[in-house]
Amino acid sequence: MNNEKLNMSEGKMPVGEQPAAQPTNDEVIATINGLIETCRDGQQGFAQAADGVDRSDLKSLFYEFSQQRATFVGELQDIVRTLGGDPENTGSLAGSIHRGWIDIKSVVTGRDETAILNECERGEDSAKKQYETALETALPAYILQTVQSQYTSVKDAHDRVKALRDNAPGKNASTARTGF
């Protein structure tokens, strides 16, 4: 492990690891289209969450996150077009289930603020994982910059939703801290 740290601090790959192979143009397009689906799902999920809460501060925050994801979709679609591909225009039902946003519909009808926050956090957990996977790809620098910037915003949104959920009324302090 000390050798790995030393090698990494010298700008070298850890022993036994190979540099990531440069993805093909089609692979980059597929990666970005996956992020478009993820952002579209978040856009729709946050809009539904906003419709399902009564508190004006949460409603505003969820609409803000929904709009943020719409902006991300536009940026990512521009990248795909620049690469000569066809950008994804929708999230898929199967993808929505996998990406964690499908349960928001059933939760919103109950107007349970804590349950809605839980579902939003679950969706954001999935979005973080999608971005982390994309960032493991050897993306061209101009694409990497956009994906990294969006990832930072997704993490910030996740942390904000998690904090709101942990401090939601009816949740005792020990549950909020430990998750149990």
Side-chain angles (χ1 to χ4, degrees):
M1 184 167 236
N2 289 338
N3 286 343
E4 285 182 17
K5 287 182 183 175
L6 179 63
N7 287 340
M8 289 176 73
S9 68
E10 294 173 1
K12 297 177 184 174
M13 293 293 295
V15 178
E17 286 191 28
Q18 299 297 317
Q22 191 66 31
T24 66
N25 194 58
D26 287 345
E27 290 169 336
V28 172
I29 289 170
T31 297
I32 301 304
N33 271 334
L35 292 177
I36 290 170
E37 287 181 347
T38 296
C39 288
R40 183 76 71 196
D41 292 337
Q43 176 187 358
Q44 294 166 357
F46 278 124
Q48 290 172 356
D51 291 341
V53 295
D54 294 323
R55 281 180 37 196
S56 62
D57 62 327
L58 282 182
K59 195 175 283 289
S60 294
L61 181 67
F62 291 153
Y63 280 131
E64 176 185 326
F65 287 154
S66 178
Q67 184 56 50
Q68 176 191 66
R69 298 312 154 82
T71 300
F72 290 175
V73 166
E75 292 171 356
L76 295 168
Q77 286 175 330
D78 287 346
I79 289 171
V80 170
R81 283 187 200 95
T82 299
L83 294 169
D86 292 322
E88 184 61 49
N89 288 316
T90 62
S92 66
L93 178 59
S96 295
I97 292 168
H98 176 70
R99 287 183 292 272
W101 279 104
I102 197 67
D103 289 338
I104 193 74
K105 290 178 186 174
S106 61
V107 170
V108 166
T109 58
R111 300 188 84 74
D112 178 342
E113 186 177 293
T114 302
I116 291 169
L117 287 164
N118 278 329
E119 289 306 311
C120 288
E121 185 192 2
R122 206 163 66 99
E124 290 300 272
D125 283 340
S126 184
K128 279 178 30 180
K129 288 177 190 163
Q130 289 290 102
Y131 272 89
E132 288 163 359
T133 299
L135 288 167
E136 291 171 2
T137 306
L139 297 170
Y142 76 98
I143 296 172
L144 182 61
Q145 182 179 357
T146 299
V147 172
Q148 181 63 55
S149 174
Q150 289 183 2
Y151 174 63
T152 299
S153 295
V154 167
K155 283 192 324 185
D156 291 346
H158 170 273
D159 294 348
R160 181 96 184 266
V161 168
K162 184 178 186 306
L164 286 165
R165 192 239 15 231
D166 289 349
N167 293 312
K171 199 160 172 86
N172 71 40
S174 65
T175 302
R177 282 194 305 275
T178 65
F180 297 108

